[in-house]
Amino acid sequence: MSQLKKDSSILIIGGGTWGCSTALQLARAGYNNVTVLERSPIPSPTAAGNDVNKIMEEGAPSDADTPEQYVWNRMHQITASAWKTDPVFRPFYHPTGFIMAASQDYARSHVDGYLRTCKGKLRLLNSAEDFRRTMPEGVLTGDFPGWKGFFRETGAGWVFARGALEAAYKEASRLGVNFVTGDEGAVEKLVYSTAGDDVTGAQTVDGREHKADHVILCAGAGSDQLLDFEKQLRPTAWTLAHIQMAEAERALWKDLPVLFNVNSGFFIEPDATGQLKFVDEHPGYCNITDPNSPFAKSIPFAKHQIPVESERAARQFLRETVPQIAERPFVFARICWDADTPDRQFLIDRHPKYKSLVVAVGGSGNGFMMMPAVGVAIKETLEGVLEERLRYGFRWRPETAVGRDWRDTQDRYGGSGRVGNFQDVREWTSVMSKL
């Protein structure tokens, strides 16, 4: 492994949420020879972070935290500071509040667990009228059957994901990071040393080898196609859709708190164009062609449609909360990929065999919210200065994947109650919109 210097060549594979954040933090720290390889123009139309909004929650560690809670809360602390003070990220955080609920008995334990550990002030919501009062009159008109939950009025909200991703990319570019896209940036495979004991770069589909002193692999759900993660990654997809709101509706719905039911779905206020994004909750979908094979892998793919079963569930969520818009046609829909680790904790570490390679993967459904903190963690991992408790939590840990059950729902609820396989989907929505 080459000694890390400010002029060391650093190659980042993946220009999504984590790649752009890492590039920004490296450039800010004075590293002046950073290259990012990405197949698509940035932001990529298939990147999970190329989205109108993501849920954001603030937090801070305490002496009473378990090791797992400390890692989570410490990252919340770092990321909240950035969303509130960093000039690149600050414009995109909207601290509108956060409503969390469940409407099925099997999911209430998740809400109860949040209630026990949250340090912020919470308002309990036990009736349909309680939920309706959290928003302006005329927004929440549903019956909220069986809903119980709480309203966290401060310390939470949402972030404009695409805006933050673009801002990080532009600032990193301004600071000298070289972004290579298209076939010239589409990584086909890693390049290894002659002895095979280290990673020395990457080869793109145009046949060129990009050599570097240090390589950072953060290609999201696609990372599993470039390196053997010993079953630590499970590429998993979720489903989202948009409907169009009128201008008067957009004005009424502006600055609404996030409404999230852990077994049903969520929505966040309409974007600047009046499109309302909503999501049906479920344990996710994989894409496994041969589930019975011991070498089975979930292979990501892009699609601007969602399964009809997801459309039905999403519309049912709207009928329970905002029935006045529940039957409107979709103007956009897509599947959105991430990669789950067995314990849903990030995997950010130097590879135990390939010492010039840092892996930064496993967003596990929380990768974008933590975007600013993750860039810092990856930079500090490269430098060898990441604080010990985070380093241990993010370590390379294949022992956690021994005998891994790819059908594990990992504390997620809704839908059929099981992880789906896109190979079994027979009917898709007709929406073919593009960003």
Side-chain angles (χ1 to χ4, degrees), residues 12-315:
I12 299 174
I13 300 173
T17 301
W18 287 16
C20 285
S21 181
T22 303
L24 173 64
Q25 299 302 336
L26 289 172
R28 283 175 161 177
Y31 294 96
N32 55 34
N33 191 4
V34 179
T35 297
V36 178
L37 300 180
E38 168 57 49
R39 179 183 301 271
S40 302
I42 298 172
S44 166
T46 59
N50 190 358
D51 195 359
V52 294
N53 45 47
K54 300 287 188 184
I55 297 172
M56 167 58 196
E57 299 173 69
E58 301 175 25
S62 74
D63 293 338
D65 287 342
T66 66
E68 294 78 12
Q69 289 170 339
Y70 176 86
V71 170
W72 186 243
N73 289 328
R74 176 67 173 134
M75 291 294 283
H76 269 294
Q77 183 182 48
I78 298 169
T79 207
S81 176
W83 285 118
K84 292 192 288 186
T85 65
D86 189 308
V88 169
F89 297 110
R90 186 179 62 233
F92 306 106
Y93 178 33
H94 300 260
T96 57
F98 173 63
I99 298 166
M100 186 180 198
S103 51
Q104 298 292 335
D105 289 341
Y106 69 91
R108 296 193 199 283
S109 61
H110 189 90
V111 178
D112 292 341
Y114 193 108
L115 283 167
R116 287 192 299 270
T117 59
C118 182
K119 302 177 180 69
K121 182 180 178 181
L122 305 175
R123 187 207 309 178
L124 296 181
L125 307 173
N126 294 309
S127 68
E129 189 57 34
D130 287 343
F131 283 95
R132 294 188 196 113
R133 289 196 190 103
T134 62
M135 299 189 188
E137 185 176 356
V139 175
L140 299 179
T141 61
D143 293 333
F144 292 86
W147 283 52
K148 303 286 184 182
F150 62 84
F151 184 12
R152 181 177 176 180
E153 298 182 57
T154 60
W158 62 276
V159 291
F160 175 31
R162 187 181 309 127
L165 181 54
E166 290 175 337
Y169 160 62
K170 291 176 181 177
E171 180 63 7
S173 298
R174 187 188 71 81
L175 293 173
V177 174
N178 179 32
F179 286 84
V180 182
T181 60
D183 285 350
E184 295 177 345
V187 174
E188 186 174 51
K189 61 183 179 180
L190 299 179
V191 175
Y192 296 86
S193 63
T194 303
D197 60 353
D198 206 355
V199 170
T200 60
Q203 180 178 312
T204 46
V205 296
D206 61 354
R208 179 184 171 188
E209 289 190 356
H210 301 256
K211 295 294 188 72
D213 298 323
H214 301 270
V215 179
I216 302 172
L217 175 58
C218 54
S223 300
D224 198 39
Q225 304 303 305
L226 299 173
L227 181 73
D228 180 9
F229 280 91
E230 301 180 56
K231 297 188 177 181
Q232 291 179 88
L233 290 188
R234 182 188 71 182
T236 313
W238 284 269
T239 47
L240 63 88
H242 297 184
I243 56 177
Q244 186 65 48
M245 309 287 285
E247 180 57 30
E249 291 173 320
R250 189 179 75 84
L252 177 64
W253 290 46
K254 183 175 173 53
D255 298 327
L256 295 185
V258 175
L259 179 65
F260 174 41
N261 182 309
V262 300
N263 63 259
S264 181
F266 73 83
F267 71 72
I268 301 173
E269 68 172 274
D271 70 5
T273 69
Q275 289 192 16
L276 178 78
K277 167 192 162 183
F278 55 101
V279 173
D280 63 309
E281 279 297 308
H282 51 75
Y285 287 90
C286 291
N287 182 44
I288 303 175
T289 55
D290 184 4
N292 296 318
S293 168
F295 307 104
K297 281 192 173 185
S298 177
I299 309 299
F301 64 98
K303 196 173 187 70
H304 285 89
Q305 295 174 278
I306 61 174
V308 167
E309 62 188 3
S310 283
E311 176 180 4
R312 293 189 184 114
R315 291 195 185 280

